[in-house]
Amino acid sequence: MLIHALRRIGRFGFEMLSSMGRALRLLSSALIRRPDHRNIPLIIGQIYQLGVLSILIIVCSGFAIGAVLALQGYTQLVRVGSESALGLGVALVLVMEIGPVVSALLFAGRAGSAVTAEIGLMKATEQLASMEMIGVDPISRIIAPRFWGGFIVLPLLALMFSVVGIWAGSLVAVDWLGVYSGSFWSVMEQGVDFFDHVMKGIIKSIVFGFVVIWISLYQGYDSLPTSEGLSKATTNTVVFSSVWILVLDFFLTLMMFEL
Amino acid sequence: MTRNSIVFDNVSYNFGKKEIFKNLSFEVPAGQTVGIMGPSGTGKTTLLRLMGGQIQPDNGTILVEGKDINKIKRAELFELRKCLGMLFQSGALFSDLTVFENVAFPLKEHTRLNGEMIRYLVLIKLNSVGLRGAAHLFPRELSGGMQRRVALARAMALDPKLIMYDEPFTGLDPIALGVISNLIKDVGSVYECTNVIVSHDIEETARISNLLYVLSEGEIIGQGSPQDLKKDDSPRLKQFLNGLPDGPVPFHYPAPEYLDSLIGVKNTKRTIIKRDD
């Protein structure tokens, strides 16, 4: 019984290590290669697929979360007469925390799972194999443009999320709840520093973008060429990406506050 | 001296614990049409994947156009593949590209031809498989047989030195079958291209091949011209060529005794159906 359990743990550990090795190999082959100008239109295409087509969900979510933050913040701050600090609170929470994290989670659910499904299906239908046999490297043609596309768009989506969230917060606080517009914006302007706050959020979203698109590509490329394999791969993309985003968020926050 | 396009020298390949090939050796002479036949599950598609360098053998050497396909660098392998063509069993067309774009893909990637020249070449290739009129359609709008014809046009797009066909006659109607088999034969004779055809279709493959290999259980059980094979008295070869169910070539995948499976003999790892008692 014990030996059986140990064997299973050993096998799990070995499979995990082997999977990490394959993921690192895929990443290094996608990154370490001679730049090819023919990839630029492909990267632009991926920026459209992964970024532009995610704008709607990012804008809607950013608006809803910004509005809720303003509402929640107002109900607490008005008790101590500090509702003028509402703009600062909403901006800091969005720019440093909620913006990068929620946009990365949404990106994993919309774009990451789509990338995994697309590559997994290309593998299952032998499109990747046929591309190899035509003499075109699928790592260069399929994987690398998606990697760069995803890596570039997530920080931009996170910024967009924060901007829309702050705007929604101002609509709720200033136009609806009657917080003085001057104090809402001026306290925010004085309290939010580009390098101390905005940059930290951008760094977070760069790291999240790297991790989410890497997981998405690897899960698709390494998926079993069956319907069950594809389903498992897309689920893994969303689950692993979400867990890694939250874990990394903790460590990045820890590092940035220099505790 | 005859030049060989492909040389297999003592190649062994295992899939998991199953031995697919053991010390397999054979040659494909350049400019010839070579048919590789054998029962299902004998590893014919695996053989093509080994030839294309998509998988590596456990032992042995595979030379393709004089190069050891498992020892050359990845960049060299992709360079070599520019002069190879492969027709996949499933067609493996790019689903997001139209028929025209699928056939144009290798030309756009590997040549510096202008758009008008590429258009001419694509239409010529599509016309040869009877699908010029379907150039604007997507693969999902075609039948399986038509998809395979487009894939054939794509495999021939760069006029490669060596074309590998995985079951090229499957899913074709009799007219398409005749046209495609003649096309494969003509490509071989006119362009001095080497054709390697993996197929179950004994009659059609024998008709257009100069040399045939018959595979069974990981080894070659017969080789020679179609006429030579017909004269061969080997029981395994005769069974395959005449389509007989009983003989030395097994029809069944390895399994325990049929009766044991039905009544559910205990302590048999391979028991498939267990009795409900």
Side-chain angles (χ1 to χ4, degrees):
Chain A
M1 190 73 179
L2 183 67
I3 291 175
H4 184 66
L6 283 172
R7 192 181 294 162
R8 286 187 68 175
I9 293 168
R11 191 180 299 150
F12 176 75
F14 180 77
E15 277 170 13
M16 208 167 75
L17 274 175
S18 144
S19 172
M20 280 170 66
R22 290 197 301 274
L24 276 169
R25 196 173 152 194
L26 178 73
L27 181 70
S28 59
S29 355
L31 296 184
I32 306 167
R33 57 181 52 247
R34 203 182 325 155
D36 186 349
H37 69 277
R38 287 181 302 179
N39 275 355
I40 293 170
L42 298 175
I43 294 173
I44 293 170
Q46 288 309 313
I47 289 174
Y48 175 77
Q49 289 288 334
L50 305 176
V52 177
L53 296 183
S54 301
I55 286 178
L56 186 64
I57 190 176
I58 290 288
V59 167
C60 291
S61 311
F63 188 91
I65 287 179
V68 167
L69 276 176
L71 265 176
Q72 294 273 18
Y74 180 80
T75 55
Q76 301 303 319
L77 291 172
V78 80
R79 290 183 194 169
V80 289
S82 303
E83 64 269 27
S84 58
L86 186 57
L88 175 64
V90 168
L92 285 181
V93 169
L94 277 170
V95 165
M96 293 179 67
E97 196 57 47
I98 305 270
V101 171
V102 175
S103 53
L105 292 172
L106 292 170
F107 181 77
R110 200 215 74 86
S113 57
V115 164
T116 302
E118 186 188 17
I119 292 175
L121 196 65
M122 286 184 87
K123 184 179 176 182
T125 53
E126 293 185 304
Q127 291 181 53
L128 295 181
S130 70
M131 192 175 277
E132 277 189 0
M133 287 309 298
I134 288 170
V136 176
D137 188 353
I139 304 279
S140 166
R141 178 92 191 181
I142 302 292
I143 303 294
R146 278 160 183 75
F147 178 83
W148 290 115
F151 182 66
I152 291 166
V153 296
L154 186 54
L156 299 174
L157 290 175
L159 279 175
M160 191 177 288
F161 184 98
S162 300
V163 169
V164 172
I166 292 168
W167 174 62
S170 81
L171 283 182
V172 169
V174 177
D175 298 331
W176 180 21
L177 300 171
V179 174
Y180 177 54
S181 161
S183 62
F184 183 89
W185 292 110
S186 63
V187 174
M188 189 195 300
E189 192 185 339
Q190 284 164 19
V192 179
D193 182 79
F194 181 76
F195 290 103
D196 269 359
H197 304 120
V198 181
M199 206 59 205
K200 283 176 180 172
I202 293 174
I203 290 170
K204 275 187 181 180
S205 57
I206 288 173
V207 174
F208 296 157
F210 182 90
V211 172
V212 170
I213 198 67
W214 179 18
I215 289 173
S216 312
L217 290 167
Y218 170 66
Q219 288 296 332
Y221 198 72
D222 202 54
S223 63
L224 279 177
T226 61
S227 49
E228 196 187 348
L230 203 54
S231 149
K232 195 180 165 195
T234 43
T235 307
N236 282 350
T237 291
V238 178
V239 172
F240 292 166
S241 297
S242 306
V243 171
W244 274 108
I245 288 163
L246 298 173
V247 170
L248 283 169
D249 184 45
F250 171 75
F251 286 107
L252 286 169
T253 309
L254 202 66
M255 278 162 59
M256 285 173 183
F257 279 99
E258 294 167 351
L259 290 174
Chain B
M1 190 181 154
T2 319
R3 187 174 72 83
N4 289 317
S5 264
I6 297 173
V7 177
F8 267 55
D9 185 16
N10 279 316
V11 171
S12 300
Y13 179 76
N14 298 298
F15 186 74
K17 288 180 183 171
K18 193 183 176 199
E19 188 176 65
I20 309 290
F21 303 120
K22 190 181 177 185
N23 300 327
L24 188 68
S25 296
F26 68 92
E27 289 97 33
V28 174
Q32 303 275 305
T33 296
V34 176
I36 297 174
M37 301 187 293
S40 299
T42 201
K44 301 187 296 298
T45 299
T46 307
L47 199 69
L48 289 187
R49 295 183 71 200
L50 284 166
M51 287 177 192
Q54 291 188 296
I55 50 174
Q56 277 79 44
D58 297 311
N59 281 307
T61 309
I62 301 169
L63 299 178
V64 176
E65 297 298 333
K67 291 185 178 170
D68 187 337
I69 201 152
N70 299 301
K71 287 196 176 150
I72 56 177
K73 289 180 183 168
R74 190 174 165 86
E76 281 180 83
L77 178 62
F78 278 97
E79 200 56 39
L80 175 66
R81 281 174 178 163
K82 289 179 188 173
C83 59
L84 308 181
M86 183 159 175
L87 171 69
F88 284 76
Q89 204 168 352
S90 61
L93 295 175
F94 303 128
S95 51
D96 293 336
L97 303 184
T98 62
V99 164
F100 182 93
E101 289 165 339
N102 262 284
V103 181
F105 184 81
L107 295 164
K108 284 181 181 170
E109 288 292 325
H110 299 314
T111 68
R112 291 183 178 180
L113 297 173
N114 62 34
E116 193 60 12
M117 188 56 79
I118 287 178
R119 196 178 78 84
Y120 284 140
L121 288 172
V122 171
L123 292 179
I124 290 168
K125 299 295 172 188
L126 281 175
N127 197 54
S128 66
V129 296
L131 289 173
R132 184 169 42 85
H136 62 289
L137 299 176
F138 280 93
R140 63 177 176 273
E141 297 172 284
L142 303 176
S143 71
M146 288 161 87
Q147 286 187 24
R148 297 168 58 70
R149 283 154 66 187
V150 176
L152 183 58
R154 186 179 66 180
M156 292 173 174
L158 288 168
D159 296 328
K161 284 186 199 168
L162 165 67
I163 309 184
M164 295 171 273
Y165 306 86
D166 194 358
E167 300 289 356
F169 310 125
T170 308
L172 300 180
D173 61 73
I175 299 169
L177 177 66
V179 173
I180 296 301
S181 60
N182 284 333
L183 180 65
I184 293 173
K185 194 180 174 187
D186 292 346
V187 163
S189 55
V190 176
Y191 298 108
E192 295 182 347
C193 161
T194 310
N195 289 319
V196 179
I197 304 168
V198 154
S199 178
H200 285 114
D201 193 325
I202 298 170
E203 203 176 309
E204 207 57 40
T205 310
R207 189 176 75 79
I208 60 169
S209 299
N210 310 106
L211 175 64
L212 291 172
Y213 288 107
V214 181
L215 277 176
S216 177
E217 295 177 300
E219 57 179 1
I220 291 170
I221 58 169
Q223 67 182 79
S225 67
Q227 295 74 22
D228 291 342
L229 286 191
K230 277 179 192 161
K231 290 177 201 157
D232 197 313
D233 278 339
S234 150
R236 289 200 290 181
L237 196 60
K238 271 202 157 338
Q239 186 199 349
F240 176 73
L241 294 177
N242 296 321
L244 304 172
D246 295 320
V249 178
F251 167 66
H252 292 281
Y253 192 82
E257 286 299 316
Y258 190 29
L259 192 60
D260 290 350
S261 294
L262 288 175
I263 62 172
V265 172
K266 289 179 182 174
N267 301 324
T268 307
K269 279 186 181 175
R270 282 187 169 274
T271 299
I272 296 162
I273 304 164
K274 289 185 179 174
R275 202 167 54 171
D276 261 343
D277 57 4

